[in-house]
């Protein structure tokens, strides 16, 4: 069966008494070359950073839908774990993935799953790729949950994340300091790795047709975690509290992105403290958060903690 053929998708759904659910952000791919290209991008694009044991990498898919991308992943990886929230799709997946022995489907809301525990179970000490055509309304919380699933030393068991997302989201997370689209998510992502836009996907490739264009975002994480960007970052038990403070500073700085940083961060630190920290780093005290590079945020947080 062709899981990207619109007529066959409709027949399959009718047989199981279901229809696409807007509340779960369901837009299914109806052009078979797209899941193939996404799976190729995830499995075969040369990694930006050298890693060991590339052949034993497992893959986690969030939101398999009726299984079109899942089957392509199963053909390229030794094992696939797919987490699907919609109970109506579980029997459908039982049918469409019946011949894929290396696929395990978990019926769960990924946002309520302990991502760190799930990933550690999947990887069995190795590493994992995440690949998904995500519902647009939860792209940011899912990406944040994946980036936050770091090991105690700050490195990530997730070596690559390949996501089909809204095109504007891809532009936003790839933006750099000073760009119009630069955001808290751009900074968060740059703390963990490098993001690139692999290719765009027009709205006509989905059923139902969404109102927005999409793009495939490819993220390779740093092998050594945040230390690769900021070698002075606290290590051991000091890492997690430092990281929590860093993300709070970034989020707060972008809530009022057009305000001078000492004002924007005043709910976290007295203005004078932020001014002194910026001066110690040789940064103007009237700078806005949107002008700070990810490394500046790391250094500022360390200075504020003194
Ligand atoms: N992978 C399929 C494809 O490419 O055709 C479907 C993609 S569709 C855009 C998003 C999928 O994510 C749907 O199957 C939806 O039910 C599922 N989903 C939505 N929210 C979810 C959540 N919190 N946890 C797990 N799956 C979720």
């Amino acid at each position: 069966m062709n899981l990207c053929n619109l007529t066959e998708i409709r027949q399959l759904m009718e047989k199981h008494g279901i229809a696409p659910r807007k509340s779960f952000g369901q837009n299914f791919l109806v052009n078979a070359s797209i899941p193939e290209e996404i799976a190729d991008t995830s499995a075969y694009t040369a990694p930006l950073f050298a890693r060991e044991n590339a052949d034993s990498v497992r893959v986690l898919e969030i939101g398999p839908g009726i299984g079109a991308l899942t089957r392509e992943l199963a053909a390229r990886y030794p094992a696939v774990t797919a987490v699907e929230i919609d109970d109506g799709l579980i029997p459908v997946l039982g049918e469409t993935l019946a011949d894929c022995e290396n696929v395990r489907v978990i019926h769960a809301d990924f946002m309520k799953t302990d991502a760190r525990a799930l990933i550690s179970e999947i990887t069995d000490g190795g590493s994992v790729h995440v690949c998904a055509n995500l519902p647009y309304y939860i792209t940011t919380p899912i990406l944040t949950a994946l980036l936050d699933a770091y090991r105690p030393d700050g490195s990530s068991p997730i070596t690559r994340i390949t996501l089909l997302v809204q095109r504007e989201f891809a532009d936003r997370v790839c933006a750099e300091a000073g760009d119009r689209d630069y955001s808290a998510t751009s900074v968060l992502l740059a703390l963990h790795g490098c993001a690139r836009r692999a290719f765009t996907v027009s709205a006509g490739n989905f059923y139902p047709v969404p109102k927005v264009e999409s793009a495939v975002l490819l993220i390779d994480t740093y092998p050594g975690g945040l230390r690769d960007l900021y070698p002075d970052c606290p290590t051991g038990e000091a890492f997690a509290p430092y990281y929590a403070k860093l993300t709070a500073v970034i989020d707060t700085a972008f809530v009022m992105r057009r305000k001078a940083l000492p004002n924007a961060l005043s709910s976290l630190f007295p203005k004078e403290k932020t001014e002194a920290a910026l001066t110690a780093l040789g940064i103007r005290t009237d700078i806005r958060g949107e002008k700070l590079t990810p490394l500046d945020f790391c250094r500022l947080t360390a200075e504020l903690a003194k």
Side-chain angles (χ1 to χ4, degrees):
M1 151 169 214
N2 178 354
L3 293 179
C4 288
N5 177 287
L6 186 53
T7 312
E8 294 192 36
I9 294 174
R10 284 196 172 120
Q11 282 168 354
L12 183 68
M13 295 198 131
E14 204 174 313
K15 178 173 150 195
H16 287 269
I18 57 172
R21 291 176 72 172
K22 210 173 169 183
S23 59
F24 288 147
Q26 291 177 356
N27 298 95
F28 302 105
L29 286 164
V30 291
N31 174 351
S33 69
I34 308 287
E36 279 172 28
E37 211 179 330
I38 296 173
D40 279 347
T41 300
S42 175
Y44 304 139
T45 305
L48 289 178
F49 310 109
R51 312 248 187 207
E52 289 173 342
N53 298 328
D55 293 343
S56 64
V57 174
R58 308 285 194 252
V59 67
L60 166 67
E61 184 187 7
I62 303 161
I66 59 170
L69 176 59
T70 323
R71 291 189 66 90
E72 298 300 333
L73 293 171
R76 290 162 179 78
Y77 286 90
V80 184
T81 301
V83 179
E84 174 56 58
I85 193 172
D86 186 356
D87 51 359
L89 287 172
I90 302 302
V92 178
L93 288 164
E95 183 179 331
T96 59
L97 303 175
D99 59 333
C100 297
E101 284 176 6
N102 59 343
V103 176
R104 173 172 63 135
V105 175
I106 299 176
H107 177 209
D109 176 349
F110 184 76
M111 292 311 302
K112 293 189 182 147
T113 308
D114 180 342
R116 193 171 272 142
L118 175 66
I119 288 162
S120 135
E121 185 208 322
I122 293 170
T123 55
D124 197 18
S127 55
V128 68
H129 287 179
V130 176
C131 189
N133 170 11
L134 286 184
Y136 299 139
Y137 68 100
I138 48 168
T139 308
T140 301
I142 286 190
L143 182 58
T144 305
L146 294 172
L147 296 175
D148 282 351
Y150 55 80
R151 299 190 186 99
D153 68 357
S155 68
S156 178
I158 305 172
T159 51
R160 168 166 284 176
I161 303 174
T162 309
L163 301 177
L164 181 53
V165 296
Q166 190 171 343
R167 194 169 162 169
E168 284 74 16
F169 181 86
D171 291 343
R172 214 161 57 238
V173 294
C174 293
E176 295 181 358
D179 290 352
R180 189 175 50 93
D181 288 336
Y182 192 52
S183 65
T185 316
S186 333
V187 183
L188 183 71
L189 206 143
L191 301 179
H192 294 272
C194 288
R196 356 173 208 169
R197 211 171 77 174
F199 59 95
T200 53
V201 181
S202 61
N205 290 294
F206 298 89
Y207 162 70
V209 180
K211 290 195 180 76
V212 294
E213 299 293 297
S214 301
V216 173
L217 190 62
L218 179 61
I219 302 160
D220 280 339
T221 60
Y222 303 129
L226 186 55
R227 255 173 303 136
D228 289 1
L229 175 75
Y230 178 46
D232 293 336
C233 101
T235 52
E237 286 185 1
F239 179 79
Y242 168 77
Y243 182 76
K245 199 162 282 165
L246 174 60
T247 51
V249 167
I250 294 165
D251 285 342
T252 312
F254 278 92
V255 169
M256 286 181 276
R257 56 184 296 152
R258 304 215 175 276
K259 278 201 171 177
L261 213 48
N263 287 327
L265 296 183
S266 60
S267 61
L268 298 179
F269 306 100
K271 279 194 326 193
E272 304 70 38
K273 191 172 169 75
T274 306
E275 281 169 0
L278 288 167
T279 304
L281 296 172
I283 300 173
R284 291 171 53 145
T285 54
D286 62 351
I287 195 161
R288 300 166 176 175
E290 62 184 7
K291 299 281 184 202
L292 282 192
T293 66
L295 182 57
D296 287 337
F297 274 108
C298 294
R299 294 164 64 228
L300 177 64
T301 304
E303 195 62 38
L304 284 166
K306 282 181 185 167

